[in-house]
Amino acid sequence: MKDSWGREIDYLRISLTESCNLRCIYCMPEGSAPKTCGEVLTKENIFAIVEAGVELNIKKIRLTGGEPLLRQDIVELVKGIKDRGIEKIYITTNGILLADKIEDLKNTGLDGVNISLDTLDREQFASITRGGELEKVLVGIKKSLNLNLEVKINSVIIKDINENAIDDLVKLTVDNKLDVRFIELMPIGQGKNFTGINNSEIYNRLEKNFGFDRDYKEIKGVSTYYKLQNSKGKIGFISPINSCFCETCNKIRLTSDGVIKRCLNTKGNINIKEYLDKNIGKDEIKEILKKEIFNKPEKHLFGKENEAEEMKNMNAIGG
């Protein structure tokens, strides 16, 4: 299924909940009150969307949140999605509950996990996440690697907050088969209250402190990857602010309450859950998805006047 700009859209991100067991400073207000379980997509809703998506050539699904591992039916969801013909299924998580659930998830079809991790300093981690325990995340990462899952670390570097964490995060790629990806802070929700570090600055810092393997560079989706000399893992850069990657965007998003998002920073136009709860058929679901995919915008509008700008916090979008 192609959008009106000729991009092949084969990737669907589904948010399972707005709830989270952390309150990261750039993501959620400290006293926020997420939606209750009765307002989110049900397991049956999700399976209906997946079945229609497969027929539109959706090949990859990522389950996000909030914190997706808070869903009690997470293992059933992974199994059911994989059984319906999706080629690859991934989860993005803060990692706090990962160690307890990763083996069951792997056994039911999970292909990989992205862990949000902005520092390896315990006190700094607790400060950024407002109380998170770093050790739990590290154990989850180790278990995931031992299960031979694809593991990616997603890191947001914020001026005057965690710039000192860059080198330690990168060193994880030397002896571990994982990717550390630096994602530029996006001016969405709480993110507007902070100043992110340009990825070109991080690249130049790493080139000076470590040096890159000159024979390796890979562009995959919205990420550009490099490697340190003789490292097992890779270093990725996702740069929506410094270098618009929209021409390679291959995804649409679904919020936990059913809103289809054509673009991360643009409000959704339709809530598919309202139709699913009326028991519409697969062909009708496909028509809704086809229309939303076809009408994806050419590019995001970060930093520009945009009357359709998304004003929600990232946990409510499914970042």
Side-chain angles (χ1 to χ4, degrees):
M1 179 70 202
K2 291 187 178 182
D3 67 10
S4 63
W5 304 98
R7 295 170 296 199
E8 186 70 37
I9 309 303
D10 59 4
Y11 174 15
L12 172 62
R13 294 174 66 105
I14 303 176
S15 176
L16 300 183
T17 179
E18 289 185 13
S19 297
C20 190
N21 46 358
L22 298 179
R23 290 291 183 275
C24 295
I25 56 175
Y26 58 83
C27 181
M28 295 177 68
E30 191 166 7
S32 59
K35 292 178 184 247
T36 63
C37 289
E39 298 173 283
V40 300
L41 290 163
T42 66
K43 182 172 60 178
E44 291 72 26
N45 289 158
I46 292 169
F47 290 161
I49 292 167
V50 170
E51 288 175 5
V54 167
E55 295 189 9
L56 295 176
N57 205 37
I58 296 294
K59 298 177 180 178
K60 173 182 173 181
I61 283 180
R62 180 174 298 281
L63 302 177
T64 69
E67 175 47 53
L69 297 186
L70 289 174
R71 281 279 295 245
Q72 296 302 305
D73 56 358
I74 184 64
V75 174
E76 298 171 67
L77 280 167
V78 169
K79 183 179 188 305
I81 290 170
K82 202 62 180 284
D83 287 348
R84 283 165 171 79
I86 289 295
E87 292 180 13
K88 296 288 185 179
I89 180 168
Y90 301 89
I91 285 179
T92 293
T93 172
N94 60 36
I96 296 294
L97 302 175
L98 189 59
D100 294 334
K101 302 191 177 188
I102 192 60
E103 189 166 356
D104 287 341
L105 292 168
K106 167 67 184 295
N107 291 340
T108 50
L110 189 70
D111 293 287
V113 59
N114 287 16
I115 300 104
S116 300
L117 180 62
D118 302 322
T119 179
L120 294 178
D121 180 277
R122 285 166 174 76
E123 290 185 7
Q124 193 173 61
F125 181 83
S127 177
I128 292 172
T129 61
R130 295 193 178 105
E133 296 179 48
L134 177 63
E135 191 59 35
K136 291 182 178 180
V137 181
L138 298 180
V139 172
I141 292 171
K142 184 176 181 180
K143 283 193 174 183
S144 299
L145 289 170
N146 289 341
L147 289 168
N148 294 315
L149 286 161
E150 295 179 39
V151 176
K152 296 177 182 178
I153 306 299
N154 290 340
S155 301
V156 176
I157 304 301
I158 304 173
K159 186 175 179 60
D160 300 324
I161 300 290
N162 63 331
E163 293 159 277
N164 62 322
I166 295 172
D167 289 2
D168 285 341
L169 287 165
V170 162
K171 289 175 185 177
L172 289 174
T173 69
V174 175
D175 297 318
N176 299 288
K177 190 178 180 182
L178 56 73
D179 300 341
V180 170
R181 308 192 305 174
F182 294 102
I183 304 175
E184 288 180 337
L185 178 70
M186 288 174 272
I188 294 177
Q190 294 297 299
K192 294 180 179 180
N193 299 326
F194 298 91
T195 301
I197 302 298
N198 191 303
N199 266 349
S200 63
E201 294 181 38
I202 298 176
Y203 177 92
N204 291 335
R205 171 179 175 148
L206 296 179
E207 174 64 29
K208 178 182 177 181
N209 291 351
F210 299 97
F212 290 107
D213 182 342
R214 293 299 178 189
D215 295 326
Y216 185 88
K217 179 181 179 181
E218 179 185 13
I219 298 175
K220 191 173 181 181
V222 299
S223 304
T224 301
Y225 289 98
Y226 301 88
K227 292 182 72 172
L228 301 181
Q229 290 285 346
N230 302 314
S231 65
K232 293 182 179 180
K234 303 191 295 287
I235 301 164
F237 295 91
I238 300 176
S239 310
I241 309 304
N242 179 48
S243 178
C244 179
F245 49 57
C246 298
E247 69 275 6
T248 62
C249 182
N250 64 338
K251 69 174 76 69
I252 57 169
R253 298 168 182 266
L254 190 62
T255 67
S256 62
D257 58 356
V259 175
I260 300 172
K261 287 182 61 63
R262 303 169 183 173
C263 177
L264 179 65
N265 87 315
T266 304
K267 294 177 182 177
N269 298 287
I270 189 169
N271 188 316
I272 197 170
K273 181 172 170 53
E274 295 175 1
Y275 294 86
L276 293 169
D277 289 345
K278 296 176 182 177
N279 296 314
I280 64 170
K282 185 190 296 183
D283 288 342
E284 293 172 280
I285 300 172
K286 285 168 62 177
E287 287 304 311
I288 292 172
L289 293 175
K290 284 167 68 174
K291 180 180 178 181
E292 293 302 297
I293 288 172
F294 187 78
N295 288 303
K296 269 179 65 68
E298 180 184 12
K299 62 178 72 173
H300 68 66
L301 295 173
F302 287 129
K304 299 180 181 180
E305 188 173 339
N306 173 18
E307 61 184 27
E309 181 182 2
E310 179 60 83
M311 303 303 292
K312 295 179 180 178
N313 288 311
M314 193 65 82
N315 67 293
I317 296 172

